[in-house]
Amino acid sequence: MSEHAIDAPQPKLTKKDFTSDQMVRWCPGCGDYAILSAIQNALPQIPEKKEDFVFISGIGCAARFPYYMSTYGFHTIHGRAPAVATGVKLANPKLNVWEITGDGDALAIGGNHFIHVLRRNIDINILLFNNEIYGLTKGQYSPTSRFGQVTKSTPMGGIERPFSAGELALAAGGTFFARTIDTNPKLMTQIFVESSQHQGTSLIEILQNCVIFNDNAHAAVTRKDHKDDFQLHLEHGKPMLFGKEKDKGLRLNGFKLEVVSIGENGDQENDILVHDANETDTIIHHMLIRMSPPDFPMALGIIRAVKAPTYDQLVEQQYQQSLEKASFQSVDELLRSGNTWEVK
Amino acid sequence: MSKTMPVELDKVVIRFAGDSGDGMQLTGSQFTYTSAMLGNDLATFPDFPAEIRAPQGTVEGVSGFQVQIGKIDIYTPGDLADILIAMNPAALRSNINWVRKGGNIILDTDYFQDRNIKKAGYKTNPMEDGSLDDYKIIEAPITSLTKTALKGIELDNKSIIRCKNMFALGMMYWLFDRSKDETIKFLESKFRKKPVLVEANKKALNAGYNYAITIRAIASNYKIPAAKIEKGIYRHISGNQASAWGLLAAAEKVGRKLFYGSYPITPASDILHELTKYKNLGVITLQAEDEIAAVCSAIGASYAGQLGVTASAGPGIALKGEAIGLAIMAEIPLIIIDVQRGGPSTGLPTKTEQADLNLVLYGRNSDSPCIVIAPSTPANCFEYIFQAARLSIEHMTPVIFLSDGYLANGSEPWKLPSMADLPEINAPQFKGSEQEFQPYLRDPKKMSRYWVVPGMAGLEHRLGGLEKEDITGNISYDPENHQKMIDIRADKVKAVANFIPEQQVIGATSGELLLVGWGSTYGSMLSAVKELEKEGVKIGLAHINYLNPLPKNLGTILGAYNKVLVCELNSGQLANYLRHLFPEYRYLQLNKVQGLPFKITEIKEKIKSILNN
Ligand SMILES: Cc1ncc(C[n+]2csc(CCOP(=O)(O)OP(=O)(O)O)c2C)c(N)n1
Ligand code: SF4
Ligand SMILES: [Mg+2]
């Protein structure tokens, strides 16, 4: 039939196919390296042509990312990547669009675009590198920095309460939220691949370490000696268990979550909450997102993945409807439609 | 029917004024449309308040519509009205200064009671205190006559009163010897689903028409014969609509989808309303969350290979500055429409001003030149935005299109072009091999990059706001390279002068005085030059549409006269720009910043005072 009916077999892409020839200029030891590598491992597992991947970033250390990829990329302006990515996706819905942003980029200067891209549910993937600091401008506090945190611009300690990216996303009507961590390459790659399959805006928060200006910001979650006790790896349909021996779990007590030890005080595994990422109600997802050490483990994995029409699909739908009703097919016909008169 | 022969006039200026809820815009546009069908040349200007419905009967709530119709070329809606129809005292008070001495004023006397007179801010009744002695007053109890005419119709009182604008329109139709047919057709289609409203409005229209005959409102009625207009198919079009349609034409010509990202703002919103109707032509409109998102989404669309457009007025253009710089750096097409309004800050949202020439020429960080184009009539917004798109695409750089409130809302008859007659738009395509490709390779003549977009296999590359090395597009902090790239971006925009028409001069091509203007002042400036010519005074007019780069011959033109007078609706932004570029000449200025267009007489007086000196 069509001459394109049989696509030539695509040679299998590898990590190398996604690595650019540019020198990577992050500080040695920066968590961004691991994220870059995880993406380069993930893309070959996503069934798209190389030329259809596009990386759009704002400004910040994180936002340099597109230069290190060998895909199409656009390093734009501070905070505005969601809007640029929206234009790209609407202009060509076939593209597989990734937005790279930092906590300052996404939640401070770009806060407005961040909530609206989620609200529209346009089909892009957002990687939010959360190092709880402004890296590129050398160490001022960000909207995710801790209350009381001493930074260059808060020498006496911060007096602003931090934002939670995930909670903000849920409040904005986000349909997909996952959290992962730069110390776990396997989890990152897995989540990147899975999130690319979600139809709608996928927000992935990556707990990222800035060795220079906010080293060990996530140590409470990542420290080797206790990480199993403070990381809960959520899987859809599985009980929320954690700990080296998977002997701890989460249970709902009234309107609150609580950590219980299996076997102690008669607590049974079937009291433990089973993760339902597809639940449209946001309450449990909010609770999971809010958890943090020392009282709780940090929830990692895909916390929320619900179905909703995407903005780009709706645009296409209205386009199809408009074709059915159209009384003109071209600009010439439009110009001559309606009230015209002839001067002879 | 009237037996007296109508008196023939060359042209006439009519002003409709009433409360925002009185339907004056509709009345005015019906009168306009009927006149256009009769073959008159014409120009219109609506004058409405910033408030949606300010309190009834107050001066703040008055909405006006002025139209000039004629059998000779009409370039403006006219300075002063020959006839004003005022639906209440507030309408009279706020419009009396727009009526020429000796002109006619039709008043709805039903509203000239104490309460309404006071509400309008009058101390005494203007119908009795002699303040209208300079005018011919036609007293007509429009509201009560409408009620009488509609007796027996199954409608509530409020809806009946609402038909009074049709009564007024009927009067006007008799006074100016126009047929009611077009308006009747319009009513039948508009109220298709409510036959009772068709009947009521028709009755009011006929009653007004007959009333004007019976009372012999004026000794005889007037006739404005058809203008000698070029043959062709015409329609009536406003500047905003023409801008929207010009974009559609450009997108179709170049074979790309039109992407329009915008955030509502007066007086630009109508372009969004208009474009969103044409989804079937492939138009995508995004009402963004703010001005910055609007321009950024358009940049994203252009980056992905569609024609990205954003629009706003001054306050929004100020917000878009950083993003425009990104498009300059990335060297991709982008059209930014600035429908200027009175400023600074929120300023005068519904009033016109040539406010933003400085902003668009200089209002970005670093050396970041943009192509700047200004249309000069409502209808030629079509042609100039088409050119804006052509230049933006072919030269791969942003173009700013400087419309304004007067052009946006003003309207005139427009001879329809045919797509086949519009120039080609050639997107710069990379034709070499994958191995040869580099993101900052350039077309040798236009210096434009190639429009290589995501989805094209083997040509993957990275763009961004950081300075790029020439050719390779790699990030570069090298001093020499930065100098080179700054120069390239400037030269690229300068080179556009080779691809735009030379500046035309109307009237004298040398001599004592050259008038220079730009944008929407064209109609008044041209009228002034033509009227003076009839009086035996010959001067030249260079009205500029291409503001950056300027036409190559402009300097020579400026040098051909003893004096140059720059007329602008701001405090001298073009004059200073010319001073900077052509310091060898002296520039006189005529400036007005009142939210209003120039009156022809203001320009003529200034010219005369210069010539008599
Ligand atoms: C309009 C504008 N304002 C300020 C800056 C300066 N700036 C660059 S990056 C940045 C903060 C980046 O922080 P974040 O998004 O957390 O990224 P990180 O560097 O930590 O990866 C700021 C304030 C800028 N580039 N543009
Ligand atoms: S400053 Fe921090 S975030 Fe930026 S590159 Fe260095 S370590 Fe990474
Ligand atoms: Mg950061």
Side-chain angles (χ1 to χ4, degrees):
Chain A
M1 300 225 315
S2 127
E3 51 205 321
H4 302 294
I6 306 160
D7 266 316
Q10 294 275 320
K12 180 115 186 56
L13 296 169
T14 64
K15 179 175 185 182
K16 230 176 112 230
D17 290 306
F18 293 100
T19 310
S20 85
D21 59 358
Q22 297 299 294
M23 190 178 65
V24 183
R25 301 194 216 189
W26 288 310
C27 306
C30 174
D32 291 355
Y33 284 94
I35 307 174
L36 176 65
S37 167
I39 268 284
Q40 288 165 339
N41 279 322
L43 295 196
Q45 300 177 44
I46 299 170
E48 297 280 356
K49 297 197 191 113
K50 177 178 167 184
E51 61 269 23
D52 288 340
F53 287 109
V54 189
F55 282 78
I56 309 285
S57 65
I59 295 290
C61 293
R64 295 294 175 91
F65 197 94
Y67 293 118
Y68 309 137
M69 300 291 298
S70 62
T71 60
Y72 280 98
F74 196 4
H75 176 224
T76 69
I77 48 177
H78 202 16
R80 320 301 173 191
V84 178
T86 296
V88 171
K89 183 69 186 179
L90 292 179
N92 184 358
K94 280 196 309 230
L95 298 174
N96 194 285
V97 180
W98 296 75
E99 184 208 322
I100 310 294
T101 184
D103 41 315
D105 194 55
L107 304 177
I109 193 165
N112 198 26
H113 313 307
F114 178 78
I115 55 177
H116 288 283
V117 74
L118 288 155
R119 177 176 70 87
R120 291 193 185 100
N121 197 34
I122 190 152
D123 190 14
I124 65 170
N125 310 294
I126 304 176
L127 303 187
L128 196 169
F129 294 30
N130 185 4
N131 54 13
E132 300 184 3
I133 199 83
Y134 286 2
L136 194 67
T137 45
K138 304 196 161 78
Q140 302 83 1
Y141 72 97
S142 91
T144 56
S145 298
R146 316 273 162 108
F147 187 88
Q149 188 175 329
V150 172
T151 70
K152 274 219 186 106
S153 51
T154 49
M156 295 172 71
I159 52 172
E160 294 178 22
R161 291 173 304 151
F163 256 158
S164 151
E167 283 204 89
L168 201 55
L170 262 49
T175 56
F176 184 101
F177 177 71
R179 191 189 279 139
T180 176
I181 196 156
D182 61 2
T183 51
N184 190 336
K186 232 181 89 201
L187 182 66
M188 280 194 288
T189 300
Q190 180 200 330
I191 284 182
F192 297 160
V193 173
E194 285 176 21
S195 66
S196 77
Q197 285 149 14
H198 175 72
Q199 295 193 350
T201 310
S202 311
L203 174 65
I204 302 123
E205 178 185 22
I206 307 160
L207 306 182
Q208 176 241 328
N209 193 38
C210 167
V211 276
I212 306 292
F213 298 111
N214 201 14
D215 198 16
N216 291 319
H218 307 295
V221 183
T222 57
R223 242 173 53 203
K224 279 223 168 66
D225 54 341
H226 70 198
K227 73 174 175 20
D228 296 319
D229 293 329
F230 290 105
Q231 295 185 10
L232 167 64
H233 291 253
L234 291 167
E235 283 178 78
H236 177 69
K238 302 257 173 77
M240 300 181 189
L241 293 171
F242 63 103
K244 206 169 185 109
E245 312 298 331
K246 294 276 179 237
D247 54 352
K248 293 191 232 182
L250 287 182
R251 182 172 78 170
L252 208 49
N253 181 359
F255 293 113
K256 288 194 166 152
L257 290 176
E258 68 177 1
V259 174
V260 295
S261 299
I262 310 287
E264 266 175 40
N265 309 326
D267 290 324
Q268 293 299 313
E269 200 174 325
N270 40 8
D271 287 347
I272 302 302
L273 274 176
V274 171
H275 182 45
D276 184 358
N278 303 342
E279 170 58 56
T280 49
D281 192 293
T282 56
I283 291 185
I284 302 276
H285 296 161
H286 265 293
M287 291 180 183
L288 292 170
I289 290 169
R290 253 197 309 265
M291 296 190 309
S292 68
D295 298 336
F296 285 95
M298 183 69 87
L300 302 175
I302 296 171
I303 296 174
R304 180 175 180 78
V306 298
K307 280 213 172 84
T310 72
Y311 190 83
D312 34 311
Q313 285 164 352
L314 295 171
V315 166
E316 173 64 22
Q317 220 174 50
Q318 289 198 336
Y319 170 61
Q320 295 300 340
Q321 285 167 5
S322 75
L323 289 180
E324 286 159 26
K325 284 191 281 182
S327 58
F328 49 84
Q329 320 290 328
S330 67
V331 173
D332 268 332
E333 286 177 24
L334 167 66
L335 297 189
R336 282 152 188 82
S337 66
N339 288 337
T340 62
W341 67 92
E342 189 171 1
V343 175
K344 290 187 187 137
Chain B
M1 277 276 137
S2 154
K3 291 262 161 57
T4 35
M5 287 293 288
V7 176
E8 234 185 77
L9 292 178
D10 276 356
K11 54 181 181 180
V12 66
V13 179
I14 301 161
R15 200 168 169 98
F16 299 86
D19 222 62
S20 301
D22 284 347
M24 288 298 104
Q25 301 300 327
L26 182 109
T27 312
S29 48
Q30 277 303 306
F31 188 88
T32 302
Y33 181 61
T34 293
S35 301
M37 297 292 282
L38 289 174
N40 288 136
D41 196 6
L42 53 87
T44 74
F45 187 65
D47 181 15
F48 35 69
E51 290 72 25
I52 305 304
R53 293 271 157 97
Q56 255 190 350
T58 62
V59 165
E60 288 72 24
V62 173
S63 164
F65 185 98
Q66 184 162 316
V67 54
Q68 171 159 227
I69 57 176
K71 76 159 194 185
I72 54 170
D73 288 355
I74 300 294
Y75 306 113
T76 75
D79 284 2
L80 295 176
D82 299 299
I83 182 159
L84 165 72
I85 185 151
M87 304 299 280
N88 65 17
L92 175 68
R93 183 153 178 249
S94 59
N95 283 276
I96 185 89
N97 288 336
W98 298 103
V99 185
R100 74 169 162 77
K101 296 266 149 74
N104 293 290
I105 301 178
I106 302 177
L107 298 175
D108 182 353
T109 47
D110 289 331
Y111 280 83
F112 280 75
Q113 276 107 22
D114 274 0
R115 199 168 61 97
N116 286 306
I117 289 169
K118 280 219 187 81
K119 243 194 196 172
Y122 281 116
K123 299 246 155 56
T124 53
N125 187 345
M127 288 175 63
E128 291 161 2
D129 64 9
S131 61
L132 302 177
D133 286 355
D134 288 341
Y135 308 91
K136 293 185 202 117
I137 304 301
I138 302 161
E139 296 180 13
I142 292 177
T143 306
S144 45
L145 287 170
T146 305
K147 281 194 203 161
T148 316
L150 300 195
K151 218 171 236 153
I153 285 200
E154 296 270 310
L155 265 183
D156 58 286
N157 199 35
K158 218 170 145 193
S159 306
I160 285 178
I161 292 179
R162 223 180 258 152
C163 295
K164 69 184 176 186
N165 65 333
M166 286 298 125
F167 189 98
L169 183 61
M171 287 182 71
M172 291 305 231
Y173 278 165
W174 181 77
L175 287 176
F176 294 99
D177 193 32
R178 324 288 50 203
S179 133
K180 295 167 287 186
D181 294 355
E182 290 305 327
T183 295
I184 289 173
K185 269 193 237 159
F186 164 82
L187 292 170
E188 282 168 351
S189 117
K190 179 170 163 115
F191 298 120
R192 209 165 44 244
K193 294 192 182 121
K194 288 198 176 154
V196 57
L197 286 182
V198 178
E199 197 197 338
N201 279 288
K202 257 164 60 176
K203 272 205 162 148
L205 184 72
N206 286 325
Y209 192 90
N210 295 333
Y211 175 73
I213 301 177
T214 354
I215 62 156
R216 285 292 140 121
I218 29 187
S220 70
N221 62 352
Y222 297 110
K223 189 185 179 80
I224 293 95
K228 283 193 202 71
I229 299 179
E230 228 182 301
K231 280 183 194 160
I233 299 178
Y234 282 76
R235 70 183 305 134
H236 202 73
I237 198 155
S238 71
N240 269 348
Q241 193 181 15
S243 302
W245 288 18
L247 289 171
L248 296 175
E252 185 176 297
K253 212 24 143 185
V254 68
R256 310 275 174 146
K257 280 190 180 175
L258 178 64
F259 180 95
Y260 187 80
S262 170
Y263 186 78
I265 187 169
T266 304
S269 306
D270 280 338
I271 304 177
L272 172 63
H273 308 159
E274 184 66 19
L275 283 174
T276 199
K277 292 190 235 162
Y278 305 118
K279 293 190 167 63
N280 67 306
L281 295 179
V283 179
I284 297 173
T285 57
L286 174 76
Q287 181 177 317
E289 57 273 23
D290 61 29
E291 299 285 1
I292 301 174
V295 61
C296 285
S297 65
I299 287 174
S302 277
Y303 168 71
Q306 311 295 14
L307 177 55
V309 183
T310 189
S312 190
I317 302 297
L319 287 169
K320 294 178 200 286
E322 186 195 10
I324 298 171
L326 174 67
I328 291 173
M329 224 31 193
E331 303 192 36
I332 53 176
L334 175 70
I335 298 170
I336 306 109
I337 301 174
D338 179 356
V339 188
Q340 302 163 96
R341 65 188 213 183
S345 188
T346 308
L348 307 173
T350 58
K351 306 292 177 197
T352 199
E353 187 171 304
Q354 295 185 302
D356 301 338
L357 181 60
N358 280 348
L359 171 65
V360 304
L361 286 173
Y362 311 115
R364 290 170 296 281
N365 49 315
S366 187
D367 295 338
S368 44
C370 274
I371 300 173
V372 180
I373 297 181
S376 44
T377 74
N380 82 13
C381 286
F382 181 91
E383 168 191 345
Y384 282 103
I385 206 153
F386 185 92
Q387 290 299 342
R390 180 180 71 85
L391 294 175
S392 186
I393 292 169
E394 295 191 347
H395 298 260
M396 294 286 284
T397 198
V399 177
I400 298 179
F401 181 78
L402 276 182
S403 176
D404 63 25
Y406 177 82
L407 292 175
N409 293 320
S411 66
E412 60 182 352
W414 176 48
K415 180 168 179 251
L416 301 178
S418 146
M419 282 299 289
D421 300 336
L422 297 176
E424 289 304 314
I425 300 179
N426 298 304
Q429 309 219 15
F430 180 71
K431 303 223 171 75
S433 69
E434 270 175 41
Q435 288 71 32
E436 287 162 341
F437 176 72
Q438 304 260 34
Y440 279 76
L441 284 176
R442 290 169 191 282
D443 171 279
K445 272 205 205 116
K446 296 192 169 135
M447 302 176 69
S448 57
R449 290 193 325 110
Y450 298 98
W451 204 3
V452 171
V453 304
M456 294 181 174
L459 304 179
E460 293 86 354
H461 63 280
R462 274 63 56 196
L463 295 179
L466 282 171
E467 185 62 284
K468 298 293 183 290
E469 187 178 65
D470 189 25
I471 316 279
T472 66
N474 293 331
I475 298 175
S476 168
Y477 303 118
D478 178 67
E480 310 278 299
N481 177 74
H482 181 51
Q483 181 73 57
K484 185 174 177 188
M485 293 303 275
I486 284 275
D487 294 344
I488 287 177
R489 287 185 289 265
D491 291 345
K492 184 172 85 161
V493 171
K494 278 192 200 133
V496 169
N498 299 323
F499 300 88
I500 58 172
E502 293 215 320
Q503 179 63 46
Q504 300 295 311
V505 173
I506 295 166
T509 51
S510 65
E512 184 57 20
L513 181 66
L514 175 72
L515 233 56
V516 178
W518 63 280
S520 69
T521 54
Y522 176 69
S524 351
M525 292 178 68
L526 178 64
S527 303
V529 170
K530 293 233 161 177
E531 286 181 18
L532 283 173
E533 202 172 274
K534 277 194 199 143
E535 298 168 25
V537 182
K538 278 209 89 176
I539 54 170
L541 167 64
H543 200 83
I544 304 174
N545 294 104
Y546 292 92
L547 287 155
N548 192 38
L550 289 163
K552 284 197 287 193
N553 60 334
L554 187 69
T556 321
I557 292 173
L558 294 171
Y561 300 80
N562 293 333
K563 287 173 182 156
V564 175
L565 171 64
V566 185
C567 307
E568 292 176 87
L569 299 173
N570 60 42
S571 303
Q573 301 185 16
L574 176 66
N576 284 333
Y577 181 48
L578 294 177
R579 271 184 199 116
H580 164 69
L581 292 175
F582 305 102
E584 59 273 36
Y585 308 121
R586 266 196 63 227
Y587 302 88
L588 304 167
Q589 291 178 220
L590 173 63
N591 300 105
K592 169 168 164 179
V593 206
Q594 301 174 0
L596 295 168
F598 279 126
K599 285 183 190 157
I600 299 163
T601 50
E602 287 168 344
I603 301 173
K604 280 168 71 180
E605 273 161 29
K606 179 76 183 179
I607 294 170
K608 283 182 182 161
S609 81
I610 291 171
L611 293 179
N612 293 338
N613 246 318

